[in-house]
Amino acid sequence: QENDASVRLKIASLLGLLSKTAGFSPDCIMDDAINTLQNEKSHQVLAQLLDTLLVIGTKLTENPSVRMRLVEVACKHLTDSSHGVRNKCLQLIGCLGPVEKGGAKEAESQAAKDVQKIIGDHFNDQDPRVRTAAIKAMLQLHERGLKLQQAIYGQACKLLADDYEQVRSAAVQLIWVLSQLYPESIVPIPSSNEEIRLVDDAFGKICHMVSDGSWVVRVQAAKLLGSMQQVSSHFLEQTLDKKLMSDLRRKRTAHERAKELYSSGEFSSGRKWGDDAPKEEIDTGAVNLIESGACGAFVHGLEDEMYEVRIAAVEALCMLAQSSPSFAEKCLDFLVDMFNDEIEEVRLQSIHTMRKISNNITLREDQLDTVLAVLEDSSRDIREALHELLCCTNVSTKEGIHLALVELLKNLTKYPTDRESIWKCLKFLGSRHPTLVLPLVPELLSTHPFFDTPEPDMDDPAYIAVLVLIFNAAKSCPTMPALFSDHTFRHYAYLRDSLSHLVPPLRLPGRKLVSSPVSPSVTPHEDPSQQFLHQSLERVYKLQHLDPQGIQELLEFTIRDLQRLGELQSELAGVADFTATYLQCQLLLIKALQEKLWNVAAPLYLKQNALASAAAKQILEETYKMEFMYSGVEGRQVVIIHHMRLQAKALQLIVTARTTRGVEPLFGMCEKFLQEVDSFQRCFISELPHMQGSFVDKLLDLMPRLVTSKPSEVVKILQTTLRQSTFLHLPLPEQLHRASAHIIEPTGESDNPLRFTSGLVVALDVDATLEHVQDPQGTVKVQVLYPDGQAQIIHPKPADFRNPGPGRHRLITQVYLSHTAWTEPCQIEVRLLLAYNSNRSKAAAKIAKSTWSESLEALPQPESGIEGTIPFSKPVKVYIMPKPARR
Amino acid sequence: MPEIKVTPLGAGQDVGRSCVLVSIAGRNVMLDCGMHMGYNDDRRFPDFSYITQNGRLTDFLDCVIISHFHLDHCGALPYFSEMVGYDGPIYMTHPTKAICPILLEDYRKITVDKKGETNFFTSQMIKDCMKKVVAVHLHQTVQVDEELEIKAYYAGHVLGAAMFQIKVGCESVVYTGDYNMTPDRHLGAAWIDKCRPDLLITESTYATTIRDSKRCRERDFLKKVHETVERGGKVLIPVFALGRAQELCILLETFWERMNLKAPIYFSTGLTEKANHYYKLFITWTNQKIRKTFVQRNMFEFKHIKAFDRAFADNPGPMVVFATPGMLHAGQSLQIFRKWAGNEKNMVIMPGYCVQGTVGHKILSGQRKLEMEGRQILEVKMQVEYMSFSAHADAKGIMQLIRQAEPRNVLLVHGEAKKMEFLKQKIEQEFHVSCYMPANGETTTIFTNPSIPVDISLGLLKRETAIGLLPDAKKPKLMHGTLIMKDNSFRLVSPEQALKELGLAEHQLRFTCRVHIQDPRKEHETALRVYNHLKGVLKDYSVQHLPDGSITVESILIQATAHSEDQGTKVLLVSWTYQDEELGSYLTSLLKKGLPPSTS
């Protein structure tokens, strides 16, 4: 209640901040705020106070009476003459307006209607900012689940012609929302007495906005178009045709349609010379240049001045094409054209789009031609994206295949670094089009019916490329091998060994498939191996009461089986490895417990002790791997992993208790362990019923005793429970993939050391593919290990990661190396690390919400902040030589 | 009624020598001052004698605006300003000002030095003329005098092309010059805000064309060039030195860059180097891509495109040559064409329009044998391709611009009459605005209905808004006040203030009316009856019965007296001030109807 308005303003904003902070109960200041609102004169202070109330209101969402009161207050101030105040009022109403449906009282729903009406009235406010705020408030209401009335559609349509871009942009959004809400309702066309579906009308209107004057609106409109999938197909197809100006909204007789054909030829295309002389007009009434907004919307969007609009249009095209195959077919030409855009991002985006819709389409030869022309692009991203695209395209003719092959080989000679990518591309091309490849084989292998042709060079990447194509085609085309010449078979054998990921096993005459280690059936045999997996696991789980020796042996066998299975069946590799790791942990645990150490006095068995504690450590490591290296790990598995970790910690405790003298350090350790048990219980309270008879289950039963007893007793109890506890069944998740990485570059084969002056830096290009890594930007790091043991961890820039496909990432980055001078060139190791932080773990995330509020008084989570890294790629050696600087 | 008069001196139902006179609110503005390519006599320049027979034009014109540097928009400028005589300001954008003199000089050279004409403007005249030019920036409002102001908008088309808004008071005209609504490789798209001018004067070159997507054309072009070059053929692209040439250069340059091609590209004229220099300088006028990337590399610094030498034409192997002029009617392009025409591996691509009679037009029409000077017959074996790269808005683009600007009238210039007719129909049908297409020398008059701004005193405004609800932008609002017209300005003030300002005493105007009522009762009883009646009817007003027997309704006074002659008739005296006229007259009519039969 200062005199100065600016001071009051600050106080109001402070109150707002205060009520945002946790633990502060805003009820008490609300009344004050509302009261001051009544007496306040300054518009700015009023606006700020309303803002404060908004914050308060969002804090107290559970209290409907408070909300009603605030909304009332806001409604009262809607008549204020300052736009700022009206803005805030509308915002407040939008955020707090009642949204109860159905079950609520009649009065409530009445109020809801009123809110919509109040906001609707402000669509015609004189200030554009208020109009925008009104529309935003409406959208806010929608987001909070209020069903907007259809009546506002008309109002919103009028707002599309507003003078101000932010109003138009918001109106486009509102129309989109409405069209999603009422797609099937019928609206009249003002110019005639026909009626069409609302979604079609809205689609037309939004298309119209693609040629708006402001690019912000254009981007918005183009983006939203993509998500309007219920639109009828003839409207959709109109968007690609600029010349079809006729108003297609009306149903026509055949006669009129004939006219339309004529009138659509009324405009010249500017492609041929002299065809723009005006023709005799037939029916100008049918030709409508602007009103039929959908016409050519995408044509416009795709050749827009701003690349933001173009990207948005390409995205929209992609989404629409995914849902409508016929549209996909039609938009192909336009997408292909986008391959020649001047901005690289647009080109890349359109190639990705094409890949996404590629199962709906077949490329014609001329289109393929344009697509392939892009292979000569000097940007590596573009070329690789294009290879990806070719992997999954359908080509219609054998000439097409030939063309693709020729272009790819050209690409190969021009950019030899693309080798891997091109081979892969040809592999898919071959396996997709065996029948088209068949007639090309003699030509490709340059065989001749009568003469022996010289044997091609086996190391020629181009020849390998051809062979990859042919062998993959031959896989599903048994007649093909008959066309091979002798050396082809030899080369097959060689390639099958050297490039096994590219060359499939073939059923070749004269060879009884000895070369192929996998069972010969061509169809993937998931079922038997899956069964095998389950069976072996069942076996393990059932035989729990076997003598320890037997269990150990069984586990060892199963682990071996699983690992082998993982190698053979790539689909099951994740699951198999995961389970194998788990069993390995179990095995280690059992082994550790079998040690004689437990029966003998501590000091005598230091050696065994080392073994046990090493086992504990290894289990810990493995559990971290299990938790963070696999994508698709679910809650159930996390529990079990944590449980295993807990057991390992218990083991550690016991070992230390056995080997150390004195009780002092034990106190601390026990304390810590108990805390961990506690936090485990809190995190996974819901999962505990599933864990009957497990270590934790027993432990929790004993908890009261544990807390009060001395460390030595604790250790004893732990020891017995560990022994007695049963082995937990690990349920298999649906999809499990192990994160892996492969460093493509540096290759590590170079004998020439990388020379640089010591003290200066040298940039090393690193190129790697990552699979099944979640959030690589945050987790993947590059480690450089120098021969002197010095390790350097580099965090690549987020921009260095590209995402070429689901679950896959590509890291292309530069690592800066530096070192003091060496006398000899030496090798450094480069590897990729997966960083983890147990705070980020899924379990922690799950409990974060519930425990956050009480975390202040609760014990600090013992495992929070445990950070570590898991190496997940093979190290690559790089030969470097820092030279002493010359003076 | 205020009016805007428009007279095209050139470009009315025609392409070439654009020159449009506009009179708006007493100002005369000349838009563009171009020459006609098709004529070599007096008809090549607009007929300036239309403006005045004798004397200098300066007295008749307030300013001249040049939209862009093409000769059909600025070619007559030195003639007009130096030979006819004009000293007023000439407005153009910075790039236009920079490039315009180069083209004028080139034009002069060809006409005087090559064709040997006399009585043409000299280099000095061009220089003098350019001294009168005032350069403007985009979206900069320039005050020509106190009332006349002009503003430039981006128009695409060529570097520095602009649309101009001419505004006097509330009346405004927008002249588009040539513009392009689809962006190309080096320029952006034309853009205008919703300025709602009274008149939009737009070009209509492609009134009947709706072009395919630009990308198809580009792709075709590149494909054809690429194929020919791969075959080992030579590609000839006849262009005019500025505009399209730069676009195609960028197109080929980026393509060469992307595809890593090695075949040489040559550009044939010395003039272009100078012009290219300006393209490099005026980066802000180019499109998004060039503006974004020029820090790394200016797109106009061509890596693959080199200057052409006459000897190169005989070099073996593939090459691409840009040569001037664009219609193959003379000069280097024709020479090269003659050398290459015999080989079917070669190709000529015509990127633009060709006037009838030129070699370009002939080969485009399919003629394969050409008669050259000296009775030679030249057989054309090379491939001939046409591709429309001209940067004019097509029909849809024109409509789009009209939609953006929302004019009240449209006037078409710079197009063929027949095509204009078609577009005119469309415009009237779509936007329901009137559309004109005057021929050269024909005057079109457009009546405007300008709104007149009036200053309102703050006190009055606040008082009035306090009474009513919030002011609604879309609806007219009634308010009381005094309009003072003084020194050519209008002010709306409250009556008290007006009285004070003008030194007048306040007069009160009262209306008095007598109403006779048959009522035998006493005066005060009659008064009471009237009071009760009024109270019953006028529920929203404060009706009071004063102790002296009179009744007041708001500020209206009613008194009942007995008639001097007939005691049975009572006279009701109703008196009200002028401000209460409405209520007063309502009351009298109410009372005249008589009182309801009394119940008492």
Side-chain angles (χ1 to χ4, degrees), chain A residues 288-307:
Chain A
N288 189 340
L289 280 181
I290 293 274
E291 275 303 309
S292 52
C295 274
F298 278 120
V299 182
H300 278 290
L302 291 178
E303 49 182 55
D304 197 272
E305 182 181 3
M306 313 295 283
Y307 78 88

Side-chain angles (χ1 to χ4, degrees), chain A residues 4-13 37 40-52 80-86 88:
Chain A
D4 194 359
S6 53
V7 177
R8 290 202 304 268
L9 182 72
K10 199 65 208 169
I11 292 174
S13 76
L37 204 60
E40 188 55 63
K41 285 282 173 294
S42 159
H43 295 309
Q44 279 176 314
V45 181
L46 269 179
Q48 189 57 55
L49 277 173
L50 283 166
D51 199 33
T52 310
D80 197 280
S81 61
S82 156
H83 66 84
V85 178
R86 272 178 285 154
K88 286 287 175 209

Side-chain angles (χ1 to χ4, degrees), chain A residues 123-138:
Chain A
F123 280 1
N124 296 322
D125 197 276
Q126 58 171 354
D127 195 293
R129 286 163 288 199
V130 180
R131 289 200 292 270
T132 318
I135 301 175
K136 292 244 170 81
M138 202 62 113

Side-chain angles (χ1 to χ4, degrees), chain B residues 257-525:
Chain B
E257 181 93 16
R258 266 180 58 198
M259 299 302 174
N260 246 334
L261 294 177
K262 292 289 178 289
I265 308 176
Y266 297 113
F267 205 115
S268 78
T269 168
L271 189 137
T272 319
E273 271 165 50
K274 228 177 184 177
N276 263 351
H277 183 62
Y278 288 113
Y279 271 87
K280 276 180 224 165
L281 289 180
F282 292 109
I283 284 296
T284 46
W285 287 80
T286 54
N287 71 5
Q288 192 192 20
K289 152 95 176 172
I290 298 179
R291 268 182 285 142
K292 285 224 162 127
T293 55
F294 88 99
V295 182
Q296 286 101 37
R297 180 179 162 223
N298 197 321
M299 290 281 279
F300 292 104
E301 271 161 28
F302 298 125
K303 257 192 223 160
H304 300 271
I305 300 176
K306 299 159 207 114
F308 183 69
D309 189 281
R310 194 159 301 187
F312 291 163
D314 295 323
N315 282 1
M319 65 172 88
V320 180
V321 175
F322 289 95
T324 52
M327 298 185 195
L328 282 181
H329 51 275
Q332 206 158 28
S333 60
L334 188 61
Q335 284 176 13
I336 300 171
F337 175 72
R338 283 162 75 169
K339 269 187 192 154
W340 291 358
N343 193 338
E344 64 271 7
K345 270 205 271 181
N346 297 343
M347 177 186 284
V348 59
I349 298 179
M350 309 294 297
Y353 184 80
C354 284
V355 169
Q356 203 151 23
T358 56
V359 174
H361 188 267
K362 279 179 200 156
I363 55 170
L364 279 180
S365 331
Q367 236 171 297
R368 301 309 277 181
K369 281 191 178 152
L370 297 174
E371 197 173 336
M372 309 306 280
E373 60 260 41
R375 305 230 155 195
Q376 282 172 278
I377 300 272
L378 181 68
E379 197 165 349
V380 183
K381 283 188 188 149
M382 75 198 298
Q383 298 170 52
V384 179
E385 298 288 348
Y386 166 75
M387 221 155 282
S388 164
F389 272 100
S390 45
H392 291 278
D394 63 0
K396 197 159 186 186
I398 296 173
M399 300 303 255
Q400 207 180 328
L401 187 88
I402 296 175
R403 185 163 73 98
Q404 271 183 20
E406 293 188 2
R408 281 182 271 277
N409 295 282
V410 179
L411 190 140
L412 302 177
V413 294
H414 201 281
E416 291 162 39
K418 232 177 159 184
K419 297 181 185 174
M420 275 187 184
E421 193 73 52
F422 173 81
L423 188 68
K424 179 176 173 237
Q425 225 173 359
K426 293 264 169 288
I427 291 171
E428 286 177 344
Q429 189 186 314
E430 296 277 328
F431 298 105
H432 310 290
V433 298
S434 36
C435 183
Y436 308 88
M437 37 173 287
N440 284 339
E442 192 183 321
T443 303
T444 306
T445 310
I446 288 149
F447 295 102
T448 56
N449 196 3
S451 47
I452 300 160
V454 173
D455 295 332
I456 185 166
S457 78
L458 192 64
L460 181 65
L461 182 69
K462 280 201 171 156
R463 210 171 65 193
E464 287 292 335
T465 45
I467 295 169
L469 288 163
L470 276 179
D472 196 332
K474 306 270 159 58
K475 285 181 196 144
K477 184 172 164 61
L478 197 69
M479 63 194 326
H480 290 281
T482 316
L483 187 69
I484 304 178
M485 291 163 71
K486 207 169 149 190
D487 314 327
N488 220 357
S489 73
F490 300 91
R491 283 187 307 136
L492 193 65
V493 295
S494 60
E496 299 85 43
Q497 200 189 340
L499 287 171
K500 222 164 83 189
E501 243 173 68
L502 301 173
L504 296 175
E506 190 178 355
H507 295 270
Q508 253 202 12
L509 190 61
R510 274 199 100 80
F511 298 92
T512 324
C513 186
R514 283 165 206 279
V515 181
H516 297 260
I517 296 176
Q518 293 297 329
D519 189 7
R521 267 165 285 199
K522 290 258 175 65
E523 289 163 14
H524 67 269
E525 282 175 11

Side-chain angles (χ1 to χ4, degrees), chain B residues 44-176:
Chain B
R44 69 181 159 208
F45 292 145
D47 181 15
F48 296 115
S49 62
Y50 178 90
I51 306 170
T52 171
Q53 289 294 344
N54 40 22
R56 296 179 69 78
L57 295 165
T58 321
D59 308 334
F60 297 89
L61 291 174
D62 289 284
C63 74
V64 174
I65 295 170
I66 303 294
S67 64
H68 63 281
F69 59 65
H70 277 159
L71 286 178
D72 59 334
H73 291 258
C74 71
L77 203 56
Y79 169 78
F80 161 77
S81 72
E82 304 308 310
M83 295 171 81
V84 182
Y86 170 77
D87 297 322
I90 300 169
Y91 291 97
M92 48 176 84
T93 61
H94 285 277
T96 313
K97 188 186 176 188
I99 299 172
C100 188
I102 311 176
L103 288 177
L104 286 173
E105 181 59 30
D106 190 56
Y107 174 46
R108 189 197 65 79
K109 254 191 223 154
I110 290 172
T111 335
V112 177
D113 299 352
K114 293 238 168 91
K115 293 184 187 155
E117 271 189 61
T118 50
N119 192 22
F120 203 71
F121 53 78
T122 61
S123 298
Q124 190 54 45
M125 281 180 181
I126 297 174
K127 279 177 196 153
D128 290 341
C129 167
M130 294 318 286
K131 280 178 193 155
K132 295 171 186 168
V133 171
V134 182
V136 298
H137 293 282
L138 276 185
H139 301 185
Q140 173 198 9
T141 307
V142 180
Q143 293 282 345
V144 180
D145 55 29
E146 293 98 82
E147 295 197 358
L148 175 63
E149 56 182 49
I150 60 173
K151 185 176 173 186
Y153 290 98
Y154 191 76
H157 189 62
V158 287
L159 193 74
M163 307 191 271
F164 280 91
Q165 184 191 31
I166 302 124
K167 196 168 170 190
V168 182
C170 287
E171 294 166 89
S172 61
V173 172
V174 170
Y175 174 65
T176 62

Side-chain angles (χ1 to χ4, degrees), chain A residues 161 163 208 211 213 266-268 270 281 288-289 295 302-303 306-308 337 373 376-377 414, chain B residues 182 188 191 194 196 208-210 213-215 219-220 258-259 288-289 388 396 399 403 422 425 430:
Chain A
D163 281 8
H208 202 167
S211 51
E266 186 176 25
F267 288 98
S268 110
E281 286 162 39
N288 189 340
L289 280 181
C295 274
L302 291 178
E303 49 182 55
M306 313 295 283
Y307 78 88
E308 291 90 341
D337 279 346
E376 297 183 38
D377 200 290
K414 211 158 166 186
Chain B
T182 41
W191 180 84
K194 249 184 212 180
R196 302 199 171 88
T208 56
T209 306
I210 288 181
S213 109
K214 173 191 85 185
R215 277 167 217 291
R219 186 186 56 192
D220 280 3
R258 266 180 58 198
M259 299 302 174
Q288 192 192 20
K289 152 95 176 172
S388 164
K396 197 159 186 186
M399 300 303 255
R403 185 163 73 98
F422 173 81
Q425 225 173 359
E430 296 277 328

